[in-house]
């Protein structure tokens, strides 16, 4: 079976409402079509790389190519896990989970998007929680980093809720205009402290199929 050679195909992150995993061929097509429908109002741009400015067909194709590229250039020293997010059995968004030299730095980064019709339902928080659970509880990460443009209030709100702290700013150019990216950092101790405080509110996460994937992440089994 292909999973014997690429065990990431068997990795699953589940919460009460969501499942995060690599998509099959038809599911990837559905995810691409979701991106073609739109992710944000056209007058806004929440991404450092404005890929959503592409026409709908090219935007959909870029989603497919991104997934293929992330699988094809994977190494334990430089990887990016492009997970589809499923709600009620249908793909509703994308959660990226990446690292360089994870075996040494124990640091992960992330990015994500949701189809517009699935926003405002708490899905963004739940899928990031699943990703962070994999990082800290599954792989033994020391810290997780992320970032958001200063006008991306929804992303910044999710980060605050999950315990990230500001870790500096950077001036960037988006659509020919200067704006500010806010860098964010979540140390392991802060994640654990936030988990204790928010145990009743945080969605429980189950990870299956991780053990055979550990060498691909440059990680070892977490006791």
């Amino acid at each position: 079976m292909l999973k014997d050679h690429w065990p990431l195909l068997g990795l699953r992150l589940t919460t009460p409402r969501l499942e995060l995993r690599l998509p099959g061929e038809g599911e990837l097509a559905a995810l691409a079509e979701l991106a073609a429908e739109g992710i944000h109002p056209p007058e806004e741009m929440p991404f450092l790389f404005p890929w959503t400015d592409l026409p709908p067909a090219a935007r959909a194709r870029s989603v497919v190519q991104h997934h293929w590229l992330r699988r094809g250039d994977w190494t334990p020293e430089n990887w990016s896990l492009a997970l589809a997010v499923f709600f009620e059995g249908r793909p509703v968004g994308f959660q990226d989970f990446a690292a360089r030299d994870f075996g040494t730095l124990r640091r992960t980064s992330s990015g994500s998007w949701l189809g517009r019709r699935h926003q405002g339902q708490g899905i963004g928080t739940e899928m990031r929680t699943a990703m962070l659970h994999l990082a800290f509880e599954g792989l033994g990460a020391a810290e997780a980093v992320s970032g958001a443009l200063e006008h991306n209030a929804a992303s910044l709100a999710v980060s605050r809720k999950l315990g990230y702290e500001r870790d500096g700013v950077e001036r960037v150019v988006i659509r020919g205009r200067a704006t500010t990216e806010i860098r964010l950092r979540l140390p392991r101790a802060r994640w654990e402290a936030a988990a204790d405080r928010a145990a009743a509110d945080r969605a429980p996460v189950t990870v299956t199929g991780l053990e055979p994937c550990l060498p691909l992440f440059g990680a070892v089994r977490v006791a």
Side-chain angles (χ1 to χ4, degrees), residues 40-142:
H40 55 82
E43 67 275 11
E44 299 177 6
M45 176 46 65
F47 303 114
L48 279 174
F49 178 73
W51 65 278
T52 48
D53 279 346
L54 293 168
R59 191 185 315 148
R61 186 164 54 250
S62 75
V63 170
V64 175
Q65 289 180 296
H66 178 78
H67 276 261
W68 287 343
L69 177 63
R70 293 285 74 85
R71 296 190 196 191
D73 67 0
W74 186 293
T75 69
E77 296 76 31
N78 184 8
W79 49 261
S80 180
L81 184 63
L83 296 170
V85 180
F86 294 85
F87 174 62
E88 296 181 344
R90 299 188 302 274
V92 298
F94 164 86
Q95 179 69 62
D96 180 60
F97 175 52
R100 287 180 180 267
D101 298 311
F102 180 80
T104 302
L105 298 176
R106 318 300 289 180
R107 180 176 63 218
T108 67
S109 62
S110 64
S112 63
W113 58 263
L114 273 173
R116 285 189 70 180
R117 53 194 165 100
H118 303 291
Q119 296 172 13
Q121 303 173 47
I123 293 174
T125 300
E126 197 164 325
M127 65 199 229
R128 183 104 69 94
T129 299
M131 182 274 298
L132 290 169
H133 181 93
L134 173 60
F136 288 113
E137 310 303 332
L139 301 180

Side-chain angles (χ1 to χ4, degrees), residues 76 79 102-103 106 138-140 210 213-222:
W79 49 261
F102 180 80
R106 318 300 289 180
L139 301 180
L210 176 60
C213 301
L214 292 175
L216 289 173
F217 287 115
V220 296
R221 178 173 172 78
V222 178

